[in-house]
Amino acid sequence: MGGTWAPRPSTGPHKRRECLPLVVLLRNRLRYALNFREATLIVKEKHGQVQVDGKIRKDVKYPTGFMDVISLPQTKEHFRLLYDTKGRFQVLRIDEAEAKFKLCKVKNRIVGPNHVPYIITHDGRTFRYPHPDIKINDSIKLELATGEISDFIKMEMGNTVMVTGGKNTGRVGTLSYLERHEGGFDIVHIKDAHGNMFATRLTYAFVIGKGKKHLVSLPKGEGVKKSILEEQAEFIKKQAE
């Protein structure tokens, strides 16, 4: 994006610093609109041309965040918002089957009034009477059509995780081991597909698959961060071609 000003996201399920307004998505990423006015016309059309997680959204500044599914019924296209290894939002094209669900990380588990247990996810959803085995930091598989939990993935050693914060944002790997720090941040150690080890906070780790099989499609590079020399060699090779 160029210029001095940027659209301020509306209040919604994602933090202001961790989301993309629909206008930025349509205008700057997907290039369906040339300016703010055209993006507004697309979003506010009578029959609803833009859906986020299966629901029509007519707020041009509605915040879309990590793991959200954006659907355009008229063009029959579906996209999922993920991170690349440089920490930037990546709008990934997905098929119709994958657009029927999303993964949500459990941020809190509470017992409410009348002893009703419920969980809160990273995108602000609440679910009453969840499965007893679902704990904080686990991921749930949410069916967007029904709003029900169809499956869940534990934060366990050997499962595939994606980093959603810090300098390793966007990297994908297998959970190797967990360090507990009383009064501090718990640290997880992750090994990527090339055997590189890195560490991050437990709160930044988002489980996306059981074992080495991930449930969602990944951006180009499969979440493996390249070194500066590897990027330079790839650039020189492309220039030579």
Side-chain angles (χ1 to χ4, degrees):
M1 265 179 67
T4 307
W5 312 104
R8 179 191 172 99
S10 300
T11 305
H14 298 280
K15 294 181 179 179
R16 195 187 313 152
R17 290 181 177 274
E18 298 174 2
C19 70
L20 275 184
L22 280 178
V23 58
V24 176
L25 198 71
L26 293 171
R27 182 185 62 187
N28 300 80
R29 295 301 180 89
L30 300 179
R31 307 285 184 181
Y32 279 127
L34 294 175
N35 50 45
F36 191 98
R37 180 177 175 275
E38 288 186 5
T40 304
L41 290 174
I42 294 171
V43 172
K44 291 186 179 295
E45 195 165 330
K46 184 177 180 180
H47 301 292
Q49 297 301 326
V50 182
Q51 295 180 4
V52 180
D53 291 342
K55 292 187 177 181
I56 295 171
R57 300 295 179 184
K58 294 196 173 185
D59 180 6
V60 74
K61 296 180 181 179
Y62 183 84
T64 58
F66 183 68
M67 277 293 168
D68 280 359
V69 176
I70 296 92
S71 303
L72 306 175
Q74 193 165 0
T75 60
K76 297 182 180 179
E77 291 178 305
H78 307 277
F79 306 91
R80 191 186 299 280
L81 219 55
L82 296 172
Y83 291 112
D84 64 9
T85 52
K86 293 184 182 292
R88 302 170 298 196
F89 272 121
Q90 190 79 12
V91 185
L92 184 68
R93 191 183 299 271
I94 57 176
D95 58 24
E96 189 174 351
E98 191 177 333
K100 292 180 180 178
F101 71 90
K102 70 178 289 190
L103 299 180
C104 301
K105 181 176 179 176
V106 179
K107 302 294 284 185
N108 208 349
R109 185 183 176 100
I110 306 172
V111 177
N114 299 323
H115 305 285
V116 176
Y118 66 95
I119 57 174
I120 303 171
T121 62
H122 79 284
D123 57 352
R125 299 173 190 265
T126 58
F127 297 92
R128 288 158 50 96
Y129 299 105
H131 193 285
D133 291 340
I134 299 177
K135 305 295 182 183
I136 296 175
N137 295 320
D138 294 346
S139 291
I140 61 170
K141 183 180 179 182
L142 175 66
E143 298 297 331
L144 297 177
T146 60
E148 296 179 353
I149 301 173
S150 60
D151 197 6
F152 63 93
I153 315 167
K154 300 289 291 179
M155 178 70 78
E156 293 177 339
M157 302 305 113
N159 284 348
T160 304
V161 299
M162 175 179 268
V163 182
T164 59
K167 69 175 185 178
N168 290 311
T169 300
R171 296 183 72 173
V172 176
T174 305
L175 200 61
S176 295
Y177 63 97
L178 169 64
E179 292 179 7
R180 295 286 184 184
H181 296 276
E182 294 295 331
F185 296 103
D186 294 334
I187 303 296
V188 290
H189 293 258
I190 303 167
K191 181 185 285 188
D192 67 13
H194 289 182
N196 302 316
M197 290 288 294
F198 60 96
T200 189
R201 294 180 183 179
L202 177 61
T203 52
Y204 292 159
F206 191 115
V207 190
I208 60 170
K210 298 178 180 178
K212 294 187 177 180
K213 184 179 180 181
H214 41 81
L215 297 182
V216 296
S217 301
L218 296 177
K220 184 180 178 182
E222 299 289 315
V224 178
K225 189 173 186 178
K226 297 179 181 178
S227 67
I228 296 174
L229 293 176
E230 288 173 335
E231 288 182 353
Q232 184 186 39
E234 187 178 342
F235 178 76
I236 293 172
K237 185 178 178 182
K238 284 184 179 178
Q239 292 292 319
E241 293 174 354

